[in-house]
Amino acid sequence: MHPAQTTIAAVRWRELGPTVELIDQRQLPGELVLLRCTEPAQVIDAIRTLAVRGAPAIGVAAAYGIALGLCATGDIDRHVDALCDDFAATRPTAVNLFWAVAQMRDSVAHSAGLPTAQRHRRIVAAAHAIAVDDASCCAAMGRHGAALLPDRGGILTHCNTGSLATAGIGTALGVIRTAIADGKQLHVWIDETRPLLQGARLTAWECAQDGIAATLICDNMAGHALKTGRIAAAIVGADRIAANGDSANKIGTYPLAVLCAHHGVPLYIAAPTSTIDLQCPHGDAIPIEERAAQEVTHPLGVRFAADGVGVFNPAFDVAPASLIAAIITEEGVARPPFAVDLQAMVDRARLRRSAATAGAQAPQL
Ligand code: MRU
């Protein structure tokens, strides 16, 4: 078995500057351009405008953006709340963002009383820990999830859930990468993912980079692909998973879930436990981001729609738990009814993370 790997880093911290370096995903697949952010406001703008996107990557970018802001001040305690609030206000749906911001607030609180330079190092280390944790979650999801995929056949995916969306090999795409590295003969079917085309622009690009056999379809072709037996399983990521397993993900996931159920094809969700929100009892309580009309009327800046037409542009929808075959996290595979498994996974992850933090902060003997 060969571990799946990636050379794509969506978000990087550079000590020099310091700088948060992002792949500008708005420019892909045309050009691989790096955005070098030296101010938190630039990272905030990058998150809002989807230069960096994908639930885990947003969390990592926010953590580094907060570190950037706090390393520039000697008065950390005066700035931390406003800075964290600014990052938390960037996008409402992906709970990884709020999770990462909370981790950063905690690390600031725990470093109180230390000399400023030491606090700065602790804060940067906390952001690194979020990135490292996400990369290892991706690898673990890959191991748990690969076993669920068939030995051969078509796998349908939606949006982009790869290295561009995480700090590692990806969530759903990470599972696919791992299954292929394990020797499974899979062909990836990529929904283009209207309106912002994360499937066509980003997932197709990642598959091409890795030599993964893939076919692009428009979102409205998924039904025909399923009906004609081309798809053995579907796997997607999530931006927020409610306590009952209802899973918010990129708009178009709900109809895909309905189609999969109709055709008896399993739909798997792959997401780290940082995507699970036990405070949300069910999907109706998940805030759904609505974005600018321009994204629908002018995809890639080209006018598609008649002037003056009304537009509804929700960026996410919710796949109900009843239509999900399994939820893969770094802690294992949750099966319906999901509530008990999800609670246990979150508890285990909390223990694992606090043991890792205690280890990292223990005095060196
Ligand atoms: O609006 P985006 O591009 O940030 O939405 C991304 C998605 O919906 C992904 O499917 C989700 O974040 C899971 S990615 C690991």
Side-chain angles (χ1 to χ4, degrees):
M1 187 166 104
H2 308 284
Q5 286 172 350
T6 181
T7 52
I8 302 164
V11 186
R12 268 202 178 111
W13 174 264
R14 299 280 186 205
E15 281 301 332
L16 204 66
T19 306
V20 179
E21 196 178 87
L22 307 169
I23 293 181
D24 186 348
Q25 301 188 32
R26 296 165 301 189
Q27 317 265 357
L28 287 172
E31 277 184 285
L32 183 56
V33 175
L34 295 180
L35 260 184
R36 296 193 170 87
C37 307
T38 52
E39 304 280 342
Q42 294 169 304
V43 183
I44 286 173
D45 184 63
I47 295 173
R48 282 214 177 97
T49 59
L50 273 55
V52 60
R53 31 70 46 211
I58 293 171
V60 172
Y64 281 131
I66 291 167
L68 196 59
L70 295 180
C71 285
T73 176
D75 196 349
I76 295 167
D77 298 312
R78 191 160 71 86
H79 287 98
V80 63
D81 279 338
L83 191 59
C84 287
D85 290 350
D86 287 349
F87 274 95
T90 50
R91 297 192 70 191
T93 303
V95 77
N96 309 62
L97 169 66
F98 306 98
W99 179 84
V101 169
Q103 305 281 311
M104 294 305 288
R105 279 191 213 268
D106 282 356
S107 91
V108 170
H110 284 126
S111 71
L114 294 174
T116 304
Q118 202 174 335
R119 293 190 83 186
H120 285 161
R121 283 196 294 277
R122 287 271 179 106
I123 289 164
V124 174
H128 283 321
I130 290 171
V132 168
D133 178 79
D134 186 57
S136 76
C137 286
C138 288
M141 278 183 275
R143 289 192 297 275
H144 297 307
L148 299 180
L149 298 186
D151 288 342
R152 57 184 53 78
I155 308 296
L156 181 58
T157 192
H158 191 71
C159 196
N160 172 264
T161 61
S163 304
L164 290 169
T166 64
I169 57 171
T171 57
L173 195 57
V175 170
I176 294 172
R177 279 192 164 108
T178 307
I180 291 173
D182 288 354
K184 297 196 173 186
Q185 285 163 19
L186 303 178
H187 187 96
V188 183
W189 290 76
I190 306 169
D191 274 351
E192 68 173 350
T193 318
R194 277 278 283 150
L196 293 179
L197 306 173
Q198 288 93 332
R201 294 187 303 105
L202 308 177
T203 303
W205 182 79
E206 283 201 41
C207 287
Q209 297 283 310
D210 278 9
I212 296 173
T215 297
L216 178 65
I217 55 173
C218 300
D219 299 340
N220 55 4
M221 298 170 186
H224 183 67
L226 281 153
K227 185 166 188 285
T228 51
R230 289 174 161 84
I231 311 296
I235 183 163
V236 299
D239 291 81
R240 194 184 293 230
I241 300 175
N244 71 346
D246 290 350
S247 298
N249 188 48
K250 179 52 54 192
I251 191 74
T253 302
Y254 169 60
L256 181 59
V258 174
L259 280 171
C260 284
H262 183 75
H263 291 289
V265 167
L267 170 69
Y268 300 117
I269 304 282
T273 50
S274 52
T275 305
I276 300 171
D277 183 359
L278 295 177
Q279 307 305 312
C280 257
H282 48 67
D284 292 346
I286 297 177
I288 300 293
E289 178 181 15
E290 287 185 31
R291 294 184 60 87
Q294 194 86 357
E295 292 180 351
V296 176
T297 56
H298 292 66
L300 305 175
V302 178
R303 182 158 82 104
F304 265 46
D307 276 342
V309 68
V311 171
F312 177 46
N313 184 18
F316 301 95
D317 59 20
V318 177
S322 58
L323 303 184
I324 297 169
I327 298 176
I328 303 148
T329 77
E330 78 276 13
E331 296 294 333
V333 177
R335 294 283 188 180
F338 293 106
V340 174
D341 283 357
L342 293 180
Q343 175 75 62
M345 285 175 168
V346 168
D347 290 345
R348 281 206 302 275
R350 214 171 266 147
L351 284 176
R352 172 175 54 74
R353 289 190 177 107
S354 56
T357 309
Q361 290 180 355
Q364 305 294 308
L365 298 175

